[in-house]
């Protein structure tokens, strides 16, 4: 690859790595909030999948964090995460 293409790819990977680290911190923070009020949550797709399946994890692009909670806990979970 030409040096300019390699350089651009390297920059894009660095940005993606930073974004994925941000999403992982958000996911962990949300899980802590829900755990503190006794709501069980399961991470779906996104950075959780990337951390388990991809090496390095930032190779799996994602834009958001998906959490699964029991229907009975949904409203309470939303309120806790919005606070």
């Amino acid at each position: 690859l030409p040096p300019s293409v390699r350089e651009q790819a390297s920059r894009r990977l660095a940005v993606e790595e930073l974004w994925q680290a941000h999403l992982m911190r958000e996911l962990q923070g949300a899980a802590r909030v829900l755990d503190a009020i006794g709501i069980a949550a399961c991470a779906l797709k996104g950075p959780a999948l990337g951390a388990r399946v991809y090496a390095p994890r930032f190779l799996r692009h994602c834009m958001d964090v998906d959490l699964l909670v029991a229907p009975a806990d949904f409203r309470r979970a939303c309120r806790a995460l919005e606070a």
Side-chain angles (χ1 to χ4, degrees):
L1 292 175
S4 63
V5 172
R6 237 179 293 147
E7 202 172 296
Q8 183 180 15
S10 178
R11 281 194 306 269
R12 291 183 77 153
L13 280 174
V15 168
E16 187 66 27
E17 187 173 11
L18 289 170
W19 176 250
Q20 296 304 321
H22 165 73
L23 287 179
M24 186 59 86
R25 284 190 305 275
E26 291 296 314
L27 174 62
Q28 291 166 339
R32 278 192 298 275
V33 166
L34 296 177
D35 186 56
I37 60 172
I39 295 178
C42 177
L44 304 173
K45 308 180 300 178
L49 177 64
R52 289 180 176 227
V53 178
Y54 292 82
R57 72 173 183 245
F58 62 85
L59 291 180
R60 185 189 188 289
H61 178 74
C62 59
M63 295 299 297
D64 61 2
V65 172
D66 300 298
L67 286 171
L68 178 68
V69 298
D73 292 328
F74 180 75
R75 281 192 170 78
R76 199 163 57 103
C78 288
R79 285 192 302 271
L81 293 173
E82 289 172 347

